[in-house]
Amino acid sequence: MAGRFDAAIAFHRSCHTRGSNSATAAATLMRSIPGINLVEIGEAEQCCGFGGTFSVSFPHISEAMGRLKLQYLRAAQPQVLVGVDTSCLMHLSGLAEKEGQPVKHMHVAQVLRDALKNGGLL
């Protein structure tokens, strides 16, 4: 792939990608972009706690699950959290912002766009 994206990224595997190859495909795509260092986060398959009406029905559990995910994320020290599910990214980013420790997040499509821009293709 032409282009470049210089960053250490953590890829969030959304619950809705379970049972499909979409998360693996997106992570493989991220690894193919020059400049990306894909860092693994602990319990990568663990839900962020936001899914569907879960966060509304069980807000305290949802928040606790998100905070646990953020602990693993911070331990990995990526520059950017990347995913394919904007609701997960918004949930985790909102919790991080609430804690006063913002997390930069991007959708996979945004990373691809910026990588192509950096390659002079857009």
Side-chain angles (χ1 to χ4, degrees), residues 10-67:
F11 181 75
H12 171 65
R13 298 177 181 275
S14 308
C15 293
H16 81 266
T17 64
R18 291 179 183 166
S20 74
N21 288 327
S22 57
T24 302
T28 299
L29 181 59
M30 293 295 100
R31 282 188 193 93
S32 75
I33 299 172
I36 285 184
N37 174 25
L38 190 61
V39 296
E40 294 296 323
I41 58 176
E43 295 193 32
E45 299 298 324
Q46 179 65 35
C47 177
C48 73
F50 193 70
T53 60
F54 184 83
S55 63
V56 176
S57 300
F58 305 100
H60 299 298
I61 298 171
S62 172
E63 188 171 325
M65 291 172 74
R67 291 190 191 288

Side-chain angles (χ1 to χ4, degrees), residues 7-121:
I9 69 166
F11 181 75
H12 171 65
R13 298 177 181 275
S14 308
C15 293
H16 81 266
T17 64
R18 291 179 183 166
S20 74
N21 288 327
S22 57
T24 302
T28 299
L29 181 59
M30 293 295 100
R31 282 188 193 93
S32 75
I33 299 172
I36 285 184
N37 174 25
L38 190 61
V39 296
E40 294 296 323
I41 58 176
E43 295 193 32
E45 299 298 324
Q46 179 65 35
C47 177
C48 73
F50 193 70
T53 60
F54 184 83
S55 63
V56 176
S57 300
F58 305 100
H60 299 298
I61 298 171
S62 172
E63 188 171 325
M65 291 172 74
R67 291 190 191 288
L68 179 61
K69 191 77 167 180
L70 285 172
Q71 287 177 8
Y72 286 115
L73 180 68
R74 289 185 180 119
Q77 298 183 326
Q79 294 167 286
V80 185
L81 171 63
V82 177
V84 297
D85 189 323
T86 53
S87 60
C88 294
L89 296 174
M90 289 187 328
H91 176 59
L92 292 169
S93 179
L95 289 172
E97 187 76 34
K98 200 172 169 182
E99 293 176 350
Q101 298 178 16
V103 171
K104 181 175 180 170
H105 67 280
M106 297 176 78
H107 190 276
V108 168
Q110 292 173 303
V111 173
L112 294 174
R113 176 203 61 204
D114 289 358
L116 290 171
K117 280 183 183 179
N118 290 333
L121 300 175

